[in-house]
Amino acid sequence: MDTLIQTIINGLMIGGVYALVAVGLTLIFGVMGIVNFAQGEFVMLGMYGSWILASLFRIAPYPGILIIGPLMFFVGFLVYKILISRVVGKGDEAYILLTLGLSILLQNLALIIWGADYQSVATPLKDAALHISHISIPIPRLIAFVIGLGMIIGLTYVLNKTDLGRAMRACAENREVACLLGINPNQSFIIAFSLGIVLAGIGGSLLTPMFYVYPTVGVLFNTTAFIVVVLGGMGSVAGALLGGLIIGIVEALTGTYISLDLSQLGTFVIFLLVLFLRPSGIFGRSVR
């Protein structure tokens, strides 16, 4: 029983970060109708940014998110203005090819700039844990979970309680009607895309103390984020949160009771079951 509880706690902790990355993906899709196939590569950039801050400036990953966040917003803004804005409204094929190409480009740029070596960030809290009876809660995972959950709650508040959030939701519902109401869709798209990239980058920064950093690490989180989004429902923030927690638990249980090398097996089984039984996901498509 202790092993089961420990495994579920570990799954919940990492699931919160998966949810954060997936929320960024679902926000972009919900507002713009674009699936960003390069989302995992922005996680990778966040991880490299955190590694650089720790290596060169001795800034730990957790306070480093105060720097990573604005930098990733600027990166998202540039990517939208230079690339994404050219394919908005031009069909699925255009943005699929563009974001897939961007994914490959970012991977190879990282390989050229930082090399293929695996990097890690050593922090004082890396091996720290909170012990409750026979249960041990790793401090890095707990901090990542709390920050990730806090950011998702903050985003939900913005979407539901602010004029900016209402404008983005209006664009998600009907772009033409939003224009008639005086809302600038292009402005909403820029902010939604940039915020999605910020969430991916901060998610990467939170994952840095737990994972090695290398040019193709984003592929792993890209796959996981897509499964989480499909499980929760494309465009649903609440669905992404629930999906992330479920996938984190399933992955942890599979790794503990079957094999660590097959930890993603349970994730893909859940993914296939959702596609067969409820293709729209748990909450369907809506920005809430």
Side-chain angles (χ1 to χ4, degrees), residues 4-20 137-138 140-149 152 207 210 240-253:
L4 176 61
I5 295 173
Q6 180 71 67
T7 301
I8 291 175
I9 289 175
N10 288 340
L12 283 173
M13 298 297 102
I14 196 67
V17 185
Y18 289 164
L20 181 64
I137 304 175
R141 294 196 178 208
L142 178 60
I143 294 174
F145 175 79
V146 171
I147 293 176
L149 184 61
I152 293 173
L207 289 166
M210 297 175 272
L241 173 59
L242 180 60
L245 298 178
I246 291 173
I247 292 302
I249 292 172
V250 170
E251 188 177 288
L253 290 172

Side-chain angles (χ1 to χ4, degrees), residues 23-125:
V23 164
L25 183 64
T26 207
L27 176 66
I28 294 171
F29 176 81
V31 176
M32 301 176 59
I34 288 179
V35 179
N36 180 21
F37 286 92
Q39 188 77 355
E41 277 56 54
F42 291 107
V43 175
M44 177 266 293
L45 290 181
M47 295 178 78
Y48 267 113
S50 185
W51 170 68
I52 290 170
L53 289 175
S55 301
L56 298 182
F57 305 103
R58 300 293 186 266
I59 299 176
Y62 307 119
I65 63 176
L66 299 176
I67 300 173
I68 296 294
L71 284 176
M72 294 304 295
F73 188 91
F74 181 67
V75 169
F77 177 83
L78 286 181
V79 170
Y80 181 88
K81 294 294 286 186
I82 296 171
L83 298 175
I84 303 299
S85 61
R86 301 177 184 275
V87 299
V88 172
K90 293 187 177 179
D92 295 344
E93 296 84 358
Y95 73 72
I96 288 173
L97 292 174
L98 176 63
T99 55
L100 282 174
L102 179 61
S103 171
I104 297 170
L105 174 64
L106 291 176
Q107 287 179 30
N108 284 276
L109 283 176
L111 183 62
I112 292 169
I113 297 171
W114 296 297
D117 294 336
Y118 283 43
Q119 308 292 345
S120 64
V121 175
T123 67
L125 296 175

Side-chain angles (χ1 to χ4, degrees), residues 227-286:
I227 293 175
V228 169
V229 168
V230 172
L231 174 60
M234 295 292 286
S236 171
V237 173
L241 173 59
L242 180 60
L245 298 178
I246 291 173
I247 292 302
I249 292 172
V250 170
E251 188 177 288
L253 290 172
T254 306
T256 300
Y257 292 103
I258 299 179
S259 170
L260 188 60
D261 293 334
L262 298 175
S263 59
Q264 283 198 305
L265 176 62
T267 299
F268 284 108
V269 170
I270 294 293
F271 179 59
L272 292 174
L273 287 175
V274 170
L275 289 179
F276 277 115
L277 301 177
R278 189 175 173 81
S280 62
I282 297 173
F283 286 96
R285 184 189 183 282
S286 62

Side-chain angles (χ1 to χ4, degrees), residues 31-32 74 122 139 150 163 166 175 185 220 224 241 276:
V31 176
M32 301 176 59
F74 181 67
I139 296 299
D163 291 339
R166 295 187 186 100
R175 198 173 305 173
L220 169 65
T224 303
L241 173 59
F276 277 115

